[in-house]
Amino acid sequence: MTLKTILIPAASVMLALGFASCVSDDKDTNNEWVPQFSQFNEAGYWTDCNNPAITSLDVNGVTLSHSATIFEWEGNTFASWNGFCPSKSTDNADYTGADWTQHQWSSITGGGVAGPGTPYIVACWRTDSGESSCRMRMTDGSAFYPDDLYITNSSYAYYAMKNGTAFNRPFTASDECVLLINGYLNGHRKTDTVYVYLAKGTDILNYWKKIEVSKLGTVDTIVFTMKSSDTSELGMNTPAYFCIGSMRYNVHNDYNN
């Protein structure tokens, strides 16, 4: 029996995190989160990405949501995942017409903000999960002020929007794919939303773009969701992937739980 990875566009797995905080306006400045990581397999992505026992992971003081499912069908064992997965894969080749399930862990740049082969985070948003599958927070639960994030497309999403796959059509001038970066405070109150075009028409993001997110204000959780013009009754047809390279943020001096 072999283990294969499968992409399920609309499975019903939900993961929710909530945190409470009491804060003032005092803050330290110029903190930078870069996803340093070492637990990679030979393909260059996180060794436990398909481990259903892991529901989150800590990367340099930031906790990222994660969920995986293992199931059997016709004598084979399959795995699917959502949330976040560290990677340093440089394989940003075009696998249009081949099996993208084996190549879903790469940024279109072939590396992190620092260059090819450096770590970054691949995100997979579960399209039926609402705001539950892609969440990040400080590991100690503290409130913080996010300043900016570096965002790009995964190679899978980039080529799927450019060329189409068996599950989605190639983008035309009227199409768009948008990443929504949502801030939350006290685990439930939305502070604001920043909108990032991963693709607008046939202009598809293929570099690390610095996204200003200071309008989110004080948050304890950042939640990522997506929307696309290529959508069916089951949700997005466009592969719901994006990549995070780094984050600059400020933290409160006098945080109390």
Side-chain angles (χ1 to χ4, degrees):
M1 189 175 295
T2 59
L3 175 63
K4 299 181 179 180
T5 304
I6 191 170
L7 305 174
I8 304 177
S12 56
V13 178
M14 298 186 69
L15 178 65
L17 300 174
F19 302 91
S21 64
C22 177
V23 299
S24 76
D25 292 331
D26 295 329
K27 61 183 180 179
D28 295 324
T29 59
N30 298 325
N31 297 285
E32 184 174 17
W33 175 73
V34 178
Q36 300 299 325
F37 202 75
S38 60
Q39 301 172 33
F40 297 114
N41 59 21
E42 292 182 356
Y45 64 91
W46 180 33
T47 53
D48 280 324
C49 186
N50 291 321
N51 185 346
I54 297 178
T55 58
S56 66
L57 69 154
D58 295 337
V59 180
N60 302 120
V62 173
T63 295
L64 305 172
S65 59
H66 182 79
S67 180
T69 303
I70 303 293
F71 61 96
E72 295 185 6
W73 185 64
E74 294 187 349
N76 292 310
T77 300
F78 295 90
S80 66
W81 67 278
N82 67 88
F84 299 95
C85 179
S87 178
K88 64 173 183 177
S89 172
T90 60
D91 182 16
N92 59 351
D94 183 358
Y95 291 95
T96 300
D99 184 4
W100 270 114
T101 67
Q102 304 305 310
H103 307 282
Q104 55 181 297
W105 297 277
S106 182
S107 70
I108 188 58
T109 65
V113 177
T118 60
Y120 53 94
I121 303 295
V122 179
C124 177
W125 177 56
R126 185 135 247 153
T127 59
D128 68 335
S129 68
E131 295 192 336
S132 65
S133 67
C134 289
R135 292 175 169 247
M136 65 187 301
R137 64 177 180 86
M138 294 296 147
T139 300
D140 64 5
S142 61
F144 62 102
Y145 301 85
D147 288 329
D148 55 62
L149 288 160
Y150 275 88
I151 300 292
T152 195
N153 273 303
S154 75
S155 57
Y156 174 33
Y158 175 85
Y159 287 114
M161 288 185 281
K162 181 179 180 180
N163 302 323
T165 70
F167 305 101
N168 75 286
R169 56 178 169 76
F171 271 26
T172 65
S174 61
D175 284 309
E176 64 181 31
C177 182
V178 182
L179 174 67
L180 286 70
I181 305 175
N182 307 285
Y184 281 86
L185 184 62
N186 297 325
H188 58 83
R189 180 172 65 84
K190 183 179 286 188
T191 62
D192 213 326
T193 300
V194 173
Y195 299 86
V196 181
Y197 281 97
L198 298 175
K200 191 170 181 62
T202 57
D203 183 11
I204 306 170
L205 182 63
N206 63 357
Y207 61 93
W208 285 109
K209 185 174 184 178
K210 183 179 180 180
I211 306 299
E212 173 67 42
V213 294
S214 59
K215 66 178 287 190
L216 298 181
T218 303
V219 303
D220 54 34
T221 308
I222 296 178
V223 179
F224 300 86
T225 58
M226 300 179 71
K227 62 180 181 179
S228 171
S229 55
D230 184 6
T231 300
S232 68
E233 61 183 12
L234 295 178
M236 279 178 54
N237 296 323
T238 307
Y241 291 76
F242 61 95
C243 297
I244 301 174
S246 65
M247 175 177 68
R248 285 195 316 120
Y249 66 96
N250 306 312
V251 294
H252 285 277
N253 290 318
D254 62 346
Y255 170 76
N256 292 301
N257 286 315

